[in-house]
Amino acid sequence: MEKLSPSAILREDLSENELGISLRVCYNCSTCSTICPVALETGGKYNPRTIIQLANFGMQEKLVEDLMPNVWDCTMCELCQEECPQNVNLHETFIVVKNAAALSHNIPTSYTSETKQVYENGKAVPLQPAIIKRREQLGLPESYNIDVKEIQTLMDMTPAKTILIYEEKREATETQEEK
C-alpha cells in the first residue's frame, strides 16, 4: 500500500468524519478571527478563519508545508471555538493540522527544544538552584523528583521520539554545514 503524504492524511482527517462535517458548516462570519488574541496581536497575519477556509478548499499543502497561516501560532485558548455561532470544532482542526505538520517535520524549533527538555529532564524547565532557593523563600514545598526514565519510556511510545530523532539529525546537519 502506498504511503500517504502528511497533506493527504490531513485531507482524510478533515473530510471523512465528524470534524469534516463540523468544518463544512462554517459560513465565514469571522467571529473566530475577531476574538482570537493571536490574530489581534499579529494584525491578522495569523487568522483562524483562513485555516478553516484552506481546509475546506482542500489546500492542505499550504497549511502543512507552507504553514500559511502558521497554525503553530495558535495558543489553543479555545476562544474561537467558544464564540463560533456554528460550533465549528476549530480546536480539534488546529490539532489535526499541527499533527500533519509534525509528520512533515515542520515544527518550530521552540517546540522541539521544549520536547527535548522534557525528554532529558522530565519537565520543560529543569529546577535550577535559583528556583529551589526561591521556592524555599516563598515557603513552597520541595519539588518532588521526577522519574525521567518513566517519562522517556512514555515518550518513546509516541511520535515525540521521532520528532527528537529528526531534530538531532537536523542539528547535526546544521553543525556540519557551519564547518
Side-chain angles (χ1 to χ4, degrees), residues 5-16 19 55 59-61 63-64 93 95-101 103:
S5 72
S7 294
I9 292 169
L10 178 60
R11 189 171 294 111
E12 280 186 10
D13 287 346
L14 295 178
S15 62
E16 297 180 3
L19 185 56
M59 301 181 77
Q60 283 74 15
E61 290 80 9
L63 288 170
V64 171
T93 301
I95 289 171
V96 169
V97 173
K98 285 180 179 182
N99 287 342
L103 285 173

Side-chain angles (χ1 to χ4, degrees), residues 34-99:
T34 58
I35 195 73
C36 175
V38 178
L40 297 172
E41 186 64 30
T42 63
K45 185 177 176 185
Y46 173 79
N47 186 325
R49 189 182 97 200
T50 302
I51 293 171
I52 300 304
Q53 288 174 325
L54 292 170
N56 275 332
F57 295 142
M59 301 181 77
Q60 283 74 15
E61 290 80 9
K62 193 163 182 76
L63 288 170
V64 171
E65 291 152 28
D66 300 340
L67 294 177
M68 294 301 291
N70 189 344
V71 72
W72 294 101
D73 290 343
C74 176
T75 63
M76 306 306 272
C77 70
E78 297 190 38
L79 284 174
C80 57
Q81 187 163 320
E82 290 173 10
E83 296 296 321
C84 178
Q86 293 296 97
N87 295 315
V88 174
N89 194 342
L90 293 125
H91 180 80
E92 184 66 24
T93 301
F94 300 154
I95 289 171
V96 169
V97 173
K98 285 180 179 182
N99 287 342

Side-chain angles (χ1 to χ4, degrees), residues 118-122 146-153:
V118 171
Y119 190 82
E120 292 175 353
N121 302 295
I146 294 172
D147 185 350
V148 176
K149 291 287 184 202
E150 184 178 340
I151 298 285
Q152 291 172 346
T153 299

